[in-house]
Amino acid sequence: MSEVKNKKFQSGFQHTEIGIFPNDWSIHQLVDVAENNGLVRGPFGGALKKSSFVKKGFKVYEQRNAIYSSVDIGRYYISASKFQELSRFSLNSGDFIVSCSGTIGKIYQIPKNAPKGIINQALLKIKLNSLIEPRYFYQVFNSDSFQDRITDSTQGGAMKNLIGMSEFKKSIIPLPSLQEQTAIATALSDVDNLIQSIEKLIAKKEAIKTGTMQQLLTGKTRLPEFATRDDGSPKRFKQTELGKIPEDWELISIREICDFITGFPFPSSKYQESGIKLLRGSNVKRGNTDWSDNITKFWADSTSGIEQYLLQEGDVVISMDGSLVGRSFAQLSDTDLPALLLQRVARLRSKSISQDYLKEWVCSPVFSDYCDSVKTVTAIPHISPADILNFRLFVPSTRKEQTTIATILSDMDAEIQTLQQRLEKTKDIKQGMMQQLLTGKVRLAH
């Protein structure tokens, strides 16, 4: 066993090449906690050709299985004879797979009753020995410090973003007793379970919001106070080019209802360290603005002739370029201002309909699907001003109904945002726990 040398640092602690740990912890390399031949890289070269794949058989596990933590993803299978030939690459329940090229460092443990199969060339298999508790290993592997060491072991040049196996095997693993490993793993796993439950709740709320949007924004579901005529009879539907809508609604294009402009090409050579914020495409995210220091630029507030590009509270802005075109939008609040509109970002401002209602349409799947249908298929996808202006939406005849619909959807957004904030806070707590528990700065009773 190649236990790493260390020296006494202070009373009760030792100083190692990766930091300070309790004296009663042992410091090992990754290869030490794996069974003999338990660190295996997937087959290279001609060992696993697509020509050898069959429609049914033994599963070929791919990088996506590690990235998305699922055994259900997969496209390829091999025959029983090929499986026997490549048996050293086979997986059993409890084994770990690690993505080791491109998106490196994602880890997943093969569950019970998973389909039998082998790893492909983009995966590494790890079979642990009895020195380490698997859940503890999973937590150490996912820690920031260990992930940084994986990054340091990657190769460059033609082999860029490929884990260098010789260095990877030497990655340091600090080991308390098995009892303490179990205590640490249990504490961190409990927080993981909480994180997963919040993520599932967010996904459920988002699905409910999407379904509610589809009903309310099309008038398929009418709110009771708007569903009947003055005489109490139910309002009917009428046919339009885009389907049936309530009789008192209209099918209207953005062109007909919005004051629309795109931003000015403020030259980057004249950006300032302070002044008025410039709203660029990089500041527009999925439903919100991002004014992080590393992406926010400024313009001198003394420049004349820029008044028409000054943004207002309630303005809806849409990024017109990028992989998320049609999904990068925001409605501005007073905290975003003052700000100026930069080129390749569109601004929508309407006096004829509710801005909040307009925003709900821009964040709807209908708008994103529309943008997908009209965007250019190039290295940097983009949509044109005409594409946005030609988008059509269903609009209730009264401002009150527009506002009521928008309020319901906005309240659902606020609930989701509260959950997302709770999720981020819980993740921060988990990171703090990892930094304390995985270094022995805080010890658990066991």
Side-chain angles (χ1 to χ4, degrees), residues 14 24 98 100 106 138 141 164 197 202 210 213 244 259 264 295 304-305 324 330 332 351:
Q14 55 184 310
D24 60 335
V98 179
C100 54
K106 296 296 184 180
Y138 177 83
F141 198 98
S197 68
I202 290 173
T210 298
M213 291 177 80
K244 290 183 179 180
D259 175 10
F264 183 77
I295 61 173
S304 61
L324 293 177
L332 303 186
K351 292 183 178 179

Side-chain angles (χ1 to χ4, degrees), residues 81-349:
S81 60
K82 192 69 175 178
F83 178 78
Q84 185 65 32
E85 175 189 331
L86 300 174
S87 60
R88 68 184 294 259
F89 304 107
S90 63
L91 290 167
N92 294 304
S93 63
D95 291 347
F96 289 91
I97 55 175
V98 179
S99 60
C100 54
S101 66
T103 304
I104 66 169
K106 296 296 184 180
I107 188 171
Y108 176 57
Q109 187 175 23
I110 301 300
K112 293 180 180 179
N113 303 318
K116 287 187 176 181
I118 64 166
I119 54 174
N120 72 359
Q121 71 277 5
L123 288 176
L124 169 73
K125 178 182 78 171
I126 302 177
K127 183 183 291 291
L128 300 175
N129 60 28
S130 59
L131 277 177
I132 192 165
E133 207 270 5
R135 294 182 305 153
Y136 175 82
F137 172 75
Y138 177 83
Q139 297 295 341
V140 171
F141 198 98
N142 278 317
S143 66
D144 289 343
S145 57
F146 194 88
Q147 288 289 314
D148 288 344
R149 295 198 290 277
I150 292 176
T151 302
D152 291 342
S153 75
T154 57
Q155 301 173 1
M159 307 293 279
K160 186 178 181 181
N161 290 339
L162 183 71
I163 289 179
M165 282 297 292
S166 61
E167 292 301 317
F168 182 65
K169 290 179 179 179
K170 297 176 185 177
S171 297
I172 304 302
I173 303 279
L175 290 185
S177 67
L178 280 171
Q179 292 86 348
E180 190 169 0
Q181 290 179 39
T182 300
I184 292 171
T186 299
L188 295 176
S189 296
D190 287 346
V191 184
D192 282 337
N193 292 335
L194 177 57
I195 289 171
Q196 290 171 8
S197 68
I198 298 173
E199 289 174 336
K200 288 180 181 178
L201 184 56
I202 290 173
K204 180 180 179 180
K205 295 291 185 181
E206 288 177 336
I208 293 172
K209 162 83 189 295
T210 298
T212 305
M213 291 177 80
Q214 291 171 344
Q215 293 297 310
L216 294 183
L217 293 180
T218 60
K220 291 178 181 177
T221 296
R222 295 294 295 273
L223 300 172
E225 61 267 42
F226 306 107
T228 58
R229 302 189 184 100
D230 293 339
D231 61 5
S233 61
K235 292 179 181 176
R236 299 182 181 276
F237 288 83
K238 62 184 179 183
Q239 188 66 42
T240 72
E241 296 176 50
L242 299 182
K244 290 183 179 180
I245 62 173
E247 62 181 27
D248 54 338
W249 286 31
E250 296 298 330
L251 174 61
I252 304 176
S253 69
I254 293 289
R255 188 186 305 276
E256 298 174 83
I257 57 174
C258 284
D259 175 10
F260 174 95
I261 65 168
T262 56
F264 183 77
F266 294 95
S268 58
S269 60
K270 295 184 179 180
Y271 290 168
Q272 304 290 315
E273 295 297 321
S274 62
I276 303 178
K277 290 179 290 191
L278 289 171
L279 185 78
R280 305 182 299 150
S282 55
N283 299 113
V284 183
K285 304 301 184 183
R286 301 185 72 165
N288 61 279
T289 51
D290 180 359
W291 298 110
S292 301
D293 291 342
N294 61 321
I295 61 173
T296 301
K297 306 298 180 184
F298 298 88
W299 193 255
D301 55 11
S302 60
T303 306
S304 61
I306 60 172
E307 292 79 9
Q308 65 174 315
Y309 300 104
L310 282 168
L311 294 161
Q312 298 178 9
E313 183 178 356
D315 283 346
V316 175
V317 291
I318 302 170
S319 177
M320 300 169 67
D321 293 315
S323 59
L324 293 177
V325 66
R327 293 166 175 81
S328 298
F329 57 85
Q331 185 175 23
L332 303 186
S333 67
D334 58 349
T335 59
D336 294 306
L337 307 176
L340 288 161
L341 190 70
L342 197 76
Q343 64 181 343
R344 304 306 302 157
V345 181
R347 186 221 69 199
L348 306 182
R349 186 184 295 164

